[in-house]
Amino acid sequence: MDSKTLSFITMMGVLGNVLFAISYYAGNIAPGIAFDFSLIGAYIAGFYGGPLIGFISGMFVGLLPGIMFGPLGQSQWLGLFGLPFGKGLTGLAMGILAKCLKVRERKYSSILTIPLVFLAYIPECIFTYAFFEYLMPFFVGRGGAYMFYYILPKALVEITVMSFLIAALIGNNGFTEFIGKFLTKSYIRPVIKTRES
């Protein structure tokens, strides 16, 4: 990875953590449950950068949520590992789906992104269920699937909002060209060439 790619990963991680901080303090629903739009950074990184960059960016995106819902929340030290890994899975899945389906090269990639955002969340959703049902009771001594059922409806609202926001960003040529300045490899060039033709 070159320095531009590393700065892109850092930028997406910072974006995700800032979005989390804003939504956490502005959208606190109940103790330990708050709106979280940090995945925007992981989605963008996965879509434009591919699976590896999406995964690494997702891990960075999960740092502040891991602290707030981990040691400062209910999942204690386990949250420091679980939340970043879950968000990394979303970035990874977005990268795999975008690459395999060649969404970046299609004419209406922004519209196709809406269902892609939902599909990319599925691995994190499964991991989150396992986290609350099995990992938390085993390592922390509390948890259970009931906690997951509080989080899932909130997550679906977040994913719906983020899917339209991501679609709008990806449909914007200026945004795509801006991202292209960071990703000098072949990740982004097909998108720019398609938009120009």
Side-chain angles (χ1 to χ4, degrees):
M1 278 189 214
D2 60 9
S3 60
K4 284 189 172 184
T5 305
L6 289 173
S7 64
F8 173 73
I9 290 170
T10 304
M11 184 174 63
M12 290 299 107
V14 169
L15 171 68
N17 282 287
V18 168
L19 288 172
F20 169 77
I22 293 168
S23 56
Y24 179 80
Y25 288 107
N28 210 331
I29 302 168
I33 300 175
F35 281 111
D36 176 10
F37 294 106
S38 63
L39 275 176
I40 289 173
Y43 279 124
I44 292 169
F47 184 85
Y48 287 109
L52 179 62
I53 291 173
F55 180 74
I56 296 170
S57 297
M59 293 286 285
F60 282 132
V61 162
L63 288 177
L64 187 58
I67 292 168
M68 297 304 289
F69 293 125
L72 299 179
Q74 297 181 5
S75 57
Q76 298 176 9
W77 63 269
L78 193 61
L80 284 174
F81 302 100
L83 273 86
F85 182 74
K87 291 180 186 299
L89 286 177
T90 298
L92 175 72
M94 185 65 160
I96 291 171
L97 288 168
K99 187 176 182 181
C100 291
L101 299 175
K102 298 184 178 179
V103 177
R104 292 184 296 263
E105 299 170 24
R106 297 177 188 263
K107 189 175 180 183
Y108 299 105
S109 60
S110 60
I111 294 171
L112 296 172
T113 305
I114 294 172
L116 207 66
V117 167
F118 283 92
L119 290 172
Y121 179 70
I122 291 173
E124 182 182 349
C125 184
I126 293 168
F127 174 75
T128 303
Y129 175 80
F131 181 83
F132 284 113
E133 178 68 13
Y134 302 109
L135 296 178
M136 273 190 67
F138 183 78
F139 288 107
V140 181
R142 60 181 163 166
Y146 70 93
M147 294 179 78
F148 171 75
Y149 296 123
Y150 287 112
I151 292 170
L152 184 61
K154 174 192 78 81
L156 291 175
V157 171
E158 293 166 354
I159 298 299
T160 302
V161 171
M162 284 188 280
S163 68
F164 287 100
L165 181 60
I166 299 291
L169 288 172
I170 287 169
N172 185 300
N173 288 336
F175 181 76
T176 299
E177 288 171 11
F178 171 74
I179 298 296
K181 292 176 184 176
F182 291 94
L183 299 174
T184 55
K185 305 271 184 195
S186 60
Y187 308 118
I188 196 76
R189 287 199 182 118
V191 178
I192 295 171
K193 285 179 182 175
T194 304
R195 299 257 166 91
E196 288 173 352
S197 60

